[in-house]
Amino acid sequence: MSSPSAGNSTKPTVSSKGSAKAKTSGSATHGTPQDQGETHAAKDDSAVGSTKPGGEPSLTAASVLNRLPNPAGSCPAVGGGRDVRSGSMAAGPFDTAKKQFATSRSTSPEPTKVRLYWIPKSGKAVSGGLVLKVTKVAAGAKTNTVRDGVVSDAAGVSFYDSQVPIAGPGTWQIKATSGQDTGCFRVTFKR
């Protein structure tokens, strides 16, 4: 698995209130000018981590996850969501990944790689410590296991930045594991 290219990076950032945001930089255009590259998971401030000296809240992976939508079910569909939590893992930006896939016009037989980031609730992202099981939701579909995990940090919250191979249009189940943290996400990609 290759590392994310420097020309178009997606990186979650975290506001001082603990909500997750994704910033996308590079040549690709995503969203409207007003919301380009950012999303907010607006909830109350009760999920923010402890307070630092000086009264500013400290952020933890758990406080970020507590602010994200957590759809019911063992492997929920992300629908139109941008950043979603499942189990003890958060991932996103799904809306950007769907756009990236839809606009890809590769004639190569290789899968299209879409950029997603993963935040383990434990806060323990370690290099190479992310395992993704990517399966098309269809009878007899083969699972592609990807070991990845370029580790980054935003406002003290560590996360994985990955390129996820999607072999064609359809609904895909992506199971993510990092140590004790797991999550499962169902995403529909269209061209």
Side-chain angles (χ1 to χ4, degrees):
M1 163 127 330
S2 62
S3 295
S5 66
N8 184 20
S9 65
T10 300
K11 180 176 183 177
T13 59
V14 184
S15 74
S16 64
K17 292 185 178 186
S19 62
K21 296 181 187 180
K23 291 206 176 233
T24 304
S25 62
S27 59
T29 301
H30 304 286
T32 64
Q34 294 80 14
D35 68 1
Q36 184 173 351
E38 288 193 16
T39 186
H40 304 271
K43 290 192 180 178
D44 65 41
D45 293 335
S46 64
V48 176
S50 62
T51 303
K52 291 181 186 175
E56 201 173 307
S58 64
L59 300 174
T60 65
S63 69
V64 172
L65 265 71
N66 288 340
R67 299 175 147 278
L68 292 175
N70 189 12
S74 61
C75 193
V78 301
R82 180 169 178 87
D83 304 306
V84 178
R85 173 185 176 178
S86 171
S88 56
M89 189 77 75
F94 289 107
D95 59 342
T96 302
K98 289 177 183 183
K99 288 177 189 173
Q100 181 184 1
F101 182 85
T103 59
S104 170
R105 299 291 180 224
S106 175
T107 57
S108 167
E110 293 296 314
T112 299
K113 291 184 179 178
V114 296
R115 169 170 270 126
L116 289 170
Y117 60 78
W118 310 88
I119 304 172
K121 187 173 185 177
S122 68
K124 297 176 183 172
V126 295
S127 183
L130 178 67
V131 177
L132 301 174
K133 292 190 177 196
V134 184
T135 309
K136 188 166 188 176
V137 178
K142 179 183 171 199
T143 297
N144 182 13
T145 300
V146 179
R147 296 184 192 288
D148 193 13
V150 174
V151 177
S152 260
D153 181 274
V157 177
S158 64
F159 65 95
Y160 296 104
D161 187 10
S162 69
Q163 295 285 332
V164 181
I166 304 299
T171 299
W172 291 82
Q173 178 174 286
I174 307 171
K175 290 184 179 180
T177 304
S178 172
Q180 69 199 34
D181 296 305
T182 62
C184 183
F185 305 85
R186 290 170 80 95
V187 189
T188 300
F189 291 97
K190 300 176 183 176
R191 292 221 196 257

